[in-house]
Amino acid sequence: SRSHCVMDKQEILLVIKALLILCWLFLAYIDIKSFRLPNAITLPLIPLGFVFNIASDFGFADAGSSFLGAIAGYTLFWGLNFVYRLFKDRDGIGMGDAKLLAGMGAWLGLSSLPSILLIASLSGAIGGFIWLRYKNYQANQAFPFGPFLVIAGIIQLLWPQLLTNLLLPQMI
C-alpha cells in the first residue's frame, strides 16, 4: 500500500509546475508595479532550471537544450538591446527580461524559445497598445514586457506543442 506522504511522479511534476508558475506570476506582478524584474528571483531560475533538467527523472529538456536555451534567451535580448541602443542611445529592453527569458530557456529548453517569443511578442503588441492607451502614454514610453513573457512561458510549460499543433496543419 502506498504511504500517504509519498507523491508519485505526476504529482511531483504538478507541484514543480505550480511553483514555477507562481514564481513567474510573482515576477509579472513585480514588473507591472515597478518595471523591474529583480535579480534575486530571475538569476536563480537559471541554475535551478539546469539542475532540474539534469538531475531529475522528469526534466522538461535535456542538459544541452537547457544550457543552450539559457544562453540563447539572454543573448537574444542582450543583442536586440545593443542594436536598439546604437540607434536610440537608450535601452529598449530591460535586462531583467533577458534574465527571465534565460531562466525560461534553462527550464524549458532551446526549442521552447521560438514559441515563447512569438506568443510574448503577439500578446505584448496587443497588451502594450492597451497599456499605453489606458495610461495615456505615448508610443515611445516603456511598458513592462515581463508579464507577456510570463504568459508565453506558462502556455509553453502547460501546452508545449500548442503552436506547432495549431500552425503546422495549416502549413501542410
Side-chain angles (χ1 to χ4, degrees):
S1 127
R2 200 173 126 203
S3 171
H4 68 280
C5 64
V6 176
M7 294 193 305
D8 67 18
K9 181 178 175 178
Q10 288 303 107
E11 292 168 331
I12 293 169
L13 198 54
L14 184 65
V15 168
I16 290 168
K17 286 181 177 182
L19 291 172
L20 191 55
I21 289 169
L22 286 173
C23 178
W24 288 346
L25 288 172
F26 185 57
L27 284 167
Y29 173 79
I30 292 170
D31 200 17
I32 289 169
K33 293 292 189 185
S34 69
F35 284 70
R36 300 264 183 250
L37 290 167
N39 287 342
I41 303 171
T42 56
L43 289 178
L45 285 173
I46 300 168
L48 287 172
F50 293 152
V51 169
F52 173 74
N53 283 314
I54 293 168
S56 74
D57 292 335
F58 35 82
F60 304 129
D62 63 44
S65 180
S66 177
F67 181 74
L68 290 174
I71 297 294
Y74 186 84
T75 303
L76 177 69
F77 275 6
W78 181 90
L80 286 172
N81 191 55
F82 179 80
V83 171
Y84 186 88
R85 194 178 317 134
L86 288 176
F87 290 102
K88 296 287 190 175
D89 203 30
R90 63 184 172 96
D91 287 334
I93 299 172
M95 289 299 95
D97 294 324
K99 294 167 199 163
L100 176 57
L101 187 59
M104 289 178 172
W107 277 91
L108 303 177
L110 180 63
S111 64
S112 71
L113 294 182
S115 293
I116 290 172
L117 289 168
L118 179 61
I119 294 167
S121 297
L122 293 175
S123 62
I126 295 165
F129 176 76
I130 293 168
W131 173 273
L132 294 173
R133 297 281 292 191
Y134 173 74
K135 296 284 190 177
N136 291 323
Y137 286 172
Q138 301 301 313
N140 64 346
Q141 289 180 290
F143 70 93
F145 189 61
F148 304 104
L149 285 171
V150 167
I151 290 166
I154 291 170
I155 290 170
Q156 188 64 23
L157 175 66
L158 297 178
W159 304 285
Q161 296 299 317
L162 180 67
L163 279 184
T164 305
N165 292 340
L166 286 176
L167 296 178
L168 201 54
Q170 308 303 322
M171 300 170 108
I172 296 176

